[in-house]
């Protein structure tokens, strides 16, 4: 992380033509729970931060998902370099609260994981290519390191570390005031990786779909919905798609607030985990 | 003789003529130079409150931009009379207001300005503010911006 910050600080001094800020509102997306620029659940092709192709920007986020029986928290940082490369880090904590006792883990038992991401925009511009059908396309990797290896092994998880690969396509359709994204993620992750990777049922990379569609209601307000499919690798607890309905509000050039109603399906045998998704981002 | 000159000067003061535009190198006039095709139907022209509304939006856009510290330097030494006229023509043509665009194409008219993406975005923000002031509905604003966004390719050179 220190090296990243050093790169960010060195940037403007090296290139005299760099400037601060200048991206259009919300065109850096908000922060997904994995730390990359996106919607709340889905990772998008947009590059984080307020910078254009002339500079280095970034964002920090804090996200809290309050479910009936669990809490999921995520905090992290993403750096966007020349609107081309994004480097991100997020720390996720999954609190089992009372359910931890029922699952034999102990009340308030916490799973955590670190997510390290790199994303590269390979073609197109979501915003400027309004006369072309081609969306902005980015490819990325997310390396995830879950911290409860013994428990993951005990429930049938094959690895506690894993890497997701994805291709994301995002387009702003200004003539309809729409923002749409479709992402294909190759993953073996159980519950985003918090319960490890691969399992007793399946242990192969399978493509999963992440989709978002939103409408710009005002210059600084995007409302929409997302869907994200996930593999169901573990015999002890099946896993379903996640859904949300969200509103992302750019309070100012540097602050965005996202609120959503999220349905994460069944988690670790506990059914119907639906609740509030709240996220605050600061960007520069 | 002196009285005739005086009369002419007084006459000029009494009925001011619009300041003239600077001469430009010859070029072929064409609506294709506007860099976008017009909308069909009268809906967008109505959303912008006709030609008078378009003129107000362009005047507000230019006034905001020459006062905007992010991009004011770009307009120094430029022919602002011509800029206001050709911008009004361009917007009126695209919004299907029945105007012809007589200016140069986007590449030629921006080639020496050294614009960056952030300059383009700052201008768009000023246009959004001008359209809000004119009370152009938000979805109509975005429809116009969809026509203008691809112009970044020809206007931003570095």
């Amino acid at each position: 992380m220190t090296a990243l910050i050093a790169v960010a600080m060195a940037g403007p001094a090296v290139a005299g033509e760099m400037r601060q800020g200048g991206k259009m509102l919300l065109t850096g997306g908000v922060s997904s729970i994995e730390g990359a620029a996106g919607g709340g659940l889905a990772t998008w092709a947009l590059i984080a931060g307020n910078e254009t192709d002339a500079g280095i920007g970034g964002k920090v986020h804090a996200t809290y998902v309050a479910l009936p029986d669990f809490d999921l928290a995520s905090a992290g940082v993403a750096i966007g370099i020349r609107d081309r490369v994004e480097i991100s880090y997020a720390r996720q904590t999954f609190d089992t609260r009372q359910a931890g006792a029922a699952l034999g883990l102990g009340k308030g038992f916490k799973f955590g994981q670190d997510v390290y991401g790199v994303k590269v925009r390979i073609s197109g511009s979501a915003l400027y290519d309004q006369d072309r059908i081609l969306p902005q396309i980015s490819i990325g990797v997310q390396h995830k390191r879950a911290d409860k290896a013994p428990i993951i092994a005990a429930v049938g998880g094959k690895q506690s570390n894993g890497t997701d690969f994805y291709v994301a396509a995002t387009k702003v359709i200004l003539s309809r005031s729409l923002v749409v994204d479709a992402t294909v993620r190759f993953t073996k992750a159980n519950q985003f990786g918090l319960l490890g990777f691969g399992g007793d049922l399946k242990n192969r990379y399978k493509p999963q779909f992440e989709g978002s569609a939103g409408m710009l209601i005002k210059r600084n307000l995007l409302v929409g919905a997302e869907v994200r499919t996930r593999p169901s690798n573990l015999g002890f607890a099946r896993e379903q798609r996640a859904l949300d309905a969200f509103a992302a509000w750019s309070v100012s050039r540097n602050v965005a607030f996202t609120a959503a109603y999220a349905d994460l399906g069944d988690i670790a045998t506990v059914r119907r985990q639906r609740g509030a998704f709240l996220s605050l981002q600061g960007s520069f | 003789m002196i009285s005739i000159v005086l009369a002419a000067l007084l006459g000029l003061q009494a009925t001011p003529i619009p300041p003239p535009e600077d001469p430009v190198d010859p070029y072929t006039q064409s609506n294709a130079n506007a860099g976008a095709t017009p909308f069909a139907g009268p809906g967008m022209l109505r959303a912008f409150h006709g030609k008078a509304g378009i003129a107000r939006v362009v005047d507000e856009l230019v006034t905001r931009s020459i006062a905007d510290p992010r991009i004011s330097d770009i307009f120094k030494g430029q022919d602002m009379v011509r800029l206001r006229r050709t911008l009004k023509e361009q917007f009126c043509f695209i919004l299907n207001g029945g105007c012809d665009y007589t200016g140069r194409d986007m590449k030629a008219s921006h080639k020496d300005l050294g614009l960056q993406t952030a300059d383009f975005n700052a201008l768009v923000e000023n246009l959004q503010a001008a359209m809000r002031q004119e009370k152009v509905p938000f979805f109509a604003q975005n429809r116009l911006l969809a026509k203008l966004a691809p112009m970044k390719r020809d206007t931003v050179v570095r």
Side-chain angles (χ1 to χ4, degrees):
Chain A
M1 231 21 249
T2 315
L4 274 187
I5 291 162
V7 167
M9 305 279 276
V14 172
E17 301 244 337
M18 283 196 174
R19 34 199 291 191
Q20 293 302 306
K23 224 188 226 181
M24 303 300 297
L25 283 182
L26 289 170
T27 56
V30 295
S31 293
S32 72
I33 51 168
E34 278 139 331
L41 289 174
T43 292
W44 292 358
L46 302 177
I47 301 296
N50 289 347
E51 278 305 326
T52 64
D53 45 12
I56 295 175
K59 78 169 94 192
V60 294
H61 81 274
T63 299
Y64 180 65
V65 188
L67 301 168
D69 297 286
F70 304 101
D71 295 330
L72 174 63
S74 167
V77 58
I79 307 285
I81 303 164
R82 292 186 173 274
D83 203 25
R84 172 65 65 182
V85 177
E86 176 187 288
I87 301 166
S88 61
Y89 167 76
R91 171 76 191 172
Q92 293 176 351
T93 309
F94 184 75
D95 187 339
T96 61
R97 296 187 351 225
Q98 299 287 350
L103 293 166
L105 297 167
K107 183 184 165 191
F109 186 88
K110 289 187 175 73
F111 291 89
Q113 76 169 341
D114 297 297
V115 183
Y116 303 88
V118 177
K119 181 198 293 180
V120 180
R121 176 168 65 86
I122 56 171
S123 75
S125 159
L127 183 63
Y128 301 112
D129 289 350
Q130 293 297 317
D131 54 345
R132 296 174 180 169
I133 291 175
L134 192 75
Q136 178 164 331
I137 298 172
S138 295
I139 54 172
V141 295
Q142 286 176 344
H143 179 64
K144 304 176 173 186
R145 304 183 72 84
D147 65 4
K148 293 292 188 290
I151 291 171
I152 289 165
V155 300
K158 294 294 183 195
Q159 303 97 30
S160 60
N161 302 335
T163 304
D164 292 354
F165 305 87
Y166 64 84
V167 180
T170 306
K171 186 132 193 100
V172 179
I173 305 170
L174 265 181
S175 62
R176 300 272 182 274
S177 296
L178 294 174
V179 181
V180 291
D181 173 83
T183 298
V184 176
R185 176 187 296 264
F186 296 88
T187 182
K188 295 199 284 183
N190 311 318
Q191 294 295 352
F192 307 112
L194 287 156
L195 290 182
F197 298 81
D200 50 324
L201 293 185
K202 283 175 240 156
N203 187 28
R204 281 196 321 274
Y205 275 102
K206 279 192 69 179
Q208 301 293 330
F209 177 75
E210 293 170 22
S212 306
M215 177 168 273
L216 285 158
I217 301 296
K218 289 169 54 177
R219 192 173 52 103
N220 55 0
L221 180 64
L222 178 70
V223 299
E226 298 185 287
V227 61
R228 176 168 177 172
T229 69
R230 297 176 292 175
S232 188
N233 300 324
L234 296 173
F236 94 103
R238 57 185 185 144
E239 199 171 331
Q240 302 97 349
R241 83 280 171 281
L243 304 168
D244 76 35
F246 70 88
W249 176 39
S250 204
V251 183
S252 73
R253 188 176 295 282
N254 299 106
V255 178
F257 183 70
T258 306
Y261 179 71
D263 176 358
L264 299 188
D266 302 348
I267 298 179
T269 75
V270 185
R271 297 182 64 98
R272 291 196 177 178
Q273 296 302 303
R274 299 170 186 170
F277 175 113
L278 302 167
S279 183
L280 189 65
Q281 292 100 33
S283 58
F284 56 93
Chain B
M1 194 62 206
I2 289 169
S3 63
I4 294 168
V5 172
L6 274 176
L9 283 171
L10 288 170
L12 268 180
Q13 282 171 340
T15 54
I17 59 164
E21 295 177 10
D22 300 334
V24 293
D25 291 336
Y27 61 94
T28 309
Q29 289 187 358
S30 162
N31 279 331
N33 289 349
T37 54
F39 288 100
M44 286 298 283
L45 186 66
R46 209 177 297 138
F48 277 75
H49 309 137
K51 282 189 190 180
I54 292 169
R56 284 192 293 270
V57 167
V58 169
D59 280 330
E60 182 65 22
L61 163 65
V62 172
T63 301
R64 279 177 186 267
S65 294
I66 57 181
D68 182 345
R70 296 175 296 177
I71 55 174
S72 56
D73 283 353
I74 294 163
F75 298 95
K76 288 185 179 147
Q78 302 294 327
D79 184 345
M80 300 310 290
V81 175
R82 180 181 168 84
L83 177 69
R84 284 178 196 264
R85 176 178 65 80
T86 52
L87 267 181
K88 285 172 191 173
E89 287 177 1
Q90 186 183 25
F91 279 38
C92 176
F93 169 73
I94 295 171
L95 293 165
N96 200 16
C99 305
D100 286 312
Y101 177 67
T102 65
R104 292 168 292 177
D105 67 38
M106 293 303 100
K107 204 163 209 159
S109 54
H110 294 81
K111 69 177 164 56
D112 297 322
L113 298 179
L115 298 185
Q116 290 183 280
T117 303
D119 302 320
F120 185 90
N121 290 349
L123 189 82
V124 171
E125 287 180 358
N126 293 338
L127 173 57
Q128 288 178 310
M131 292 189 293
R132 277 201 303 280
Q133 186 165 318
E134 182 61 30
K135 297 194 163 48
V136 176
F138 180 67
F139 294 99
Q141 293 181 24
N142 286 345
R143 288 186 72 193
L144 176 62
L145 294 179
K147 295 271 193 186
L148 305 184
M151 294 180 188
K152 173 181 177 280
R153 286 197 288 271
D154 287 333
T155 56
V156 172
V157 294
R158 54 176 186 152

